[in-house]
Amino acid sequence: MSADVSASTGRDAPAAFGSDLPAWPQVDFSEFGEVEARALSRVQTLTARYMSRNWLMIPHVTHHDDADITALEQQRKARNAAGEPVKLTLLPYLIKAVVEALKAFPQFNASLDGSGKQLVLKKYFHIGVAVDTRFGLLVPVIRDCDRKSVAQLAQELQAITSKARDKGLGMAEMSGGCFTISSLGAFGGTGFTPIVNAPEVAILGVTRSQEKPRRGADDQVEWRQVLPLSLSYDHRVINGADAARFTARLAQLLAEVAPLEQAPTLPTPTPVTEQQ
């Protein structure tokens, strides 16, 4: 059969993406017992559509690792005890660590264009943070995280998450993200497989830290505070070795703490020349 005939009949052409899936089962559940029908919110409906698209169209892989945050937690608690204006949680430290890791591995701070043949590398660092609200899952984007301190990020996070939970967010406040963090630390768990938030190429999931025994340099067993990391990524852009290097660098940054506490380096302003 010629290519022209094949194209006209469609007999040998691949089916449109997802068009050959079986129909969703239609079941009258009331036949089996008492039920209650509850409509999904607008946010839940939109989230379901986007998540389905992302899961179907992105070849997901999830890499798991651990980070020793013993020193970080000591530093964080000490700062809070000293009277920080806004209580510091682990999240602003995670954002700072992610930004530094993105600088080291720029393919994570990227997006595939519509053709799927070109990778757009971003020079800015806008981080999305998944927030559980009464409206459904919202992801506000914190902009220019490389230019903000841990304390500044904490203040902005508190403001935007409060707004998300009380009033909801506009699309502008959830657009332009480079990378997303989904934290379930408040609820527990030991790891999960977050879905990449297209058009981003990776997402970091974290669960509750736990005390675990580790062998120290003097061969003595020490109890350390360990944070589980779950990095899901788009395998079209990132391979397993990339993911392992990224999470290893992330764990190193969280363990060292000091690089996260440093004041952000701002670009040097361009001198203004007076007009003659």
Side-chain angles (χ1 to χ4, degrees):
M1 181 179 291
S2 70
D4 291 341
V5 174
S6 175
S8 63
T9 62
R11 289 169 59 185
D12 291 335
F17 189 87
S19 65
D20 58 342
L21 293 176
W24 192 263
Q26 299 297 314
V27 180
D28 182 1
F29 297 104
S30 63
E31 292 182 2
F32 310 105
E34 183 179 356
V35 299
E36 176 188 357
R38 183 177 299 173
L40 293 177
S41 70
R42 179 175 176 274
V43 170
Q44 289 173 319
T45 302
L46 288 172
T47 299
R49 292 178 61 195
Y50 292 142
M51 289 294 187
S52 297
R53 177 202 62 190
N54 296 351
W55 183 252
L56 285 171
M57 298 187 70
I58 297 174
H60 280 71
V61 180
T62 303
H63 180 83
H64 300 281
D65 206 340
D66 288 332
D68 185 339
I69 60 168
T70 307
L72 189 158
E73 282 296 270
Q74 292 171 349
Q75 175 77 349
R76 183 182 68 82
K77 291 175 181 178
R79 287 185 61 174
N80 283 331
E84 285 285 335
V86 175
K87 181 181 178 181
L88 298 180
T89 65
L90 181 60
L91 198 47
Y93 289 95
L94 276 170
I95 292 174
K96 293 294 290 183
V98 162
V99 167
E100 294 305 312
L102 291 176
K103 291 178 182 178
F105 302 97
Q107 69 269 39
F108 284 81
N109 194 28
S111 290
L112 283 170
D113 70 355
S115 69
K117 297 179 180 179
Q118 189 173 45
L119 192 63
V120 180
L121 298 168
K122 301 162 189 174
K123 306 298 183 181
Y124 50 88
F125 300 90
H126 303 342
I127 307 301
V129 179
V131 179
D132 180 37
T133 77
R134 60 189 173 90
F135 309 103
L137 184 66
L138 299 178
V139 184
V141 174
I142 311 297
R143 303 185 186 280
D144 299 316
C145 295
D146 56 321
R147 303 184 182 188
K148 296 169 182 173
S149 67
V150 168
Q152 288 171 320
L153 289 172
Q155 292 175 341
E156 192 165 342
L157 276 166
Q158 184 185 72
I160 197 69
T161 54
S162 294
K163 182 181 179 183
R165 291 182 174 126
D166 294 342
K167 302 178 181 178
L169 298 173
M171 286 303 299
E173 295 169 296
M174 298 186 286
S175 301
C178 303
F179 185 100
T180 297
I181 299 173
S182 180
S183 174
L184 298 178
F187 307 103
T190 57
F192 63 110
T193 55
I195 296 176
V196 174
N197 186 20
E200 299 166 16
V201 296
I203 180 172
L204 178 69
V206 296
T207 47
R208 181 176 295 170
S209 64
Q210 300 179 10
E211 283 194 347
K212 292 186 177 181
R214 295 288 173 93
R215 193 175 299 277
D218 57 356
D219 212 31
Q220 297 296 313
V221 174
E222 302 174 345
W223 284 92
R224 311 293 294 178
Q225 198 73 22
V226 177
L227 179 70
L229 307 175
S230 300
L231 178 76
S232 289
Y233 56 91
D234 186 335
H235 211 344
R236 296 173 298 177
V237 177
I238 297 162
N239 61 37
D242 295 327
R245 295 186 190 102
F246 185 90
T247 53
R249 178 59 178 150
L250 198 58
Q252 180 185 23
L253 288 161
L254 292 169
E256 291 176 351
V257 188
L260 310 181
E261 295 280 6
Q262 293 174 359
T265 303
L266 300 178
T268 304
T270 305
V272 177
T273 304
E274 294 184 2
Q275 298 293 327
Q276 298 299 324

